[in-house]
Amino acid sequence: MNLSETKRELILDAALVLFVDRGFDGTTVPMISEKAGVGAGTIYRYFENKEALVNTLFQECVGELLETINDGYPRTSDDLREQFGHIAKQVIRYAKKNLNALLFLDSHTNGHYLDEASREAYMRLRTFLCEFIERGQKNKVIRPLPADALIAIMDGAFIALNKCIKAGDIEETPELLAGVEEACWDAIRIH
């Protein structure tokens, strides 16, 4: 990685932490500059403004999450439980690598500052999840509720769990993660 890429990554990493902790409106370019250890002018060499920075970060995080979910996804399998298990395990894998990115996506999905490219990136993720749910509903395996409601159930559980782990309120164990995955599956499937 060259110096230019390193500075860009430092800026993105600092912005990610600040956007998670303070929100978009509570974060200033000087704060990002200070946390990244670069001059404010350096930020403007890479990003036109704070909106361009948050959109770049959002698109990269969505892309990385979708890439993680797609990695080894059992597309040819008709076993929806296997596919759900893969999605859940990959979201957990993503959160372990970068919990702040998952929390950032959760808290910035409907941000007024997101541009068309960010909304399209997010829609690719939503479409993937909706297609999974619709396939399950068609096969009468997943509850006949709106896809967005079922996604919210799963999303809410994983986000809340990861917040508790980050805060030290819950100890992450393989048994805990397997149990939460099973509970989420039970929440969306037809019994």
Side-chain angles (χ1 to χ4, degrees):
M1 189 178 294
N2 66 38
L3 185 58
S4 177
E5 290 171 340
T6 302
K7 285 186 179 185
R8 182 180 185 278
E9 290 305 312
L10 287 171
I11 294 165
L12 289 170
D13 291 346
L16 178 63
V17 170
L18 289 166
F19 289 148
V20 168
D21 290 346
R22 304 179 61 85
F24 175 78
D25 293 324
T27 300
T28 65
V29 170
M31 288 175 183
I32 297 168
S33 158
E34 182 179 332
K35 185 149 191 79
V38 300
T42 302
I43 292 175
Y44 292 112
R45 270 189 249 145
Y46 295 95
F47 306 99
E48 181 180 341
N49 52 37
K50 187 170 78 165
E51 288 79 8
L53 172 56
V54 77
N55 279 285
T56 298
L57 187 58
F58 188 86
Q59 291 164 36
E60 287 185 11
C61 289
V62 169
E64 289 168 1
L65 176 56
L66 192 51
E67 184 179 311
T68 300
I69 292 170
N70 274 309
D71 183 26
Y73 184 73
R75 292 189 190 293
T76 57
S77 174
D78 291 332
D79 185 345
L80 288 160
R81 177 63 181 97
E82 177 188 4
Q83 291 175 338
F84 177 82
H86 176 85
I87 292 168
K89 284 176 179 65
Q90 293 300 83
V91 169
I92 290 167
R93 181 176 147 218
Y94 180 78
K96 281 184 178 182
K97 280 183 11 185
N98 196 347
L99 177 57
N100 277 333
L102 191 63
L103 297 176
F104 168 73
L105 290 174
D106 178 58
S107 62
H108 290 75
T109 298
N110 296 311
H112 61 86
Y113 37 81
L114 293 183
D115 62 17
E116 190 61 32
S118 291
R119 293 185 196 290
E120 287 174 11
Y122 184 70
M123 284 313 299
R124 285 191 293 278
L125 175 62
R126 280 308 257 209
T127 298
F128 176 89
L129 296 173
C130 286
E131 287 173 354
F132 164 78
I133 288 171
E134 289 164 4
R135 221 174 23 261
Q137 290 172 331
K138 180 180 171 195
N139 293 326
K140 304 209 181 307
V141 174
I142 294 181
R143 296 176 186 269
L145 292 171
D148 284 338
L150 295 172
I151 290 169
I153 289 168
M154 295 181 300
D155 189 41
F158 284 111
I159 295 296
L161 173 69
N162 280 293
K163 284 180 179 178
C164 289
I165 290 169
K166 181 180 180 183
D169 297 334
I170 298 176
E171 181 184 346
E172 179 185 334
T173 65
E175 297 79 21
L176 173 71
L177 298 177
V180 170
E181 176 195 325
E182 189 64 33
C184 287
W185 175 247
D186 285 344
I188 68 165
R189 74 179 176 97
I190 295 174
H191 296 269

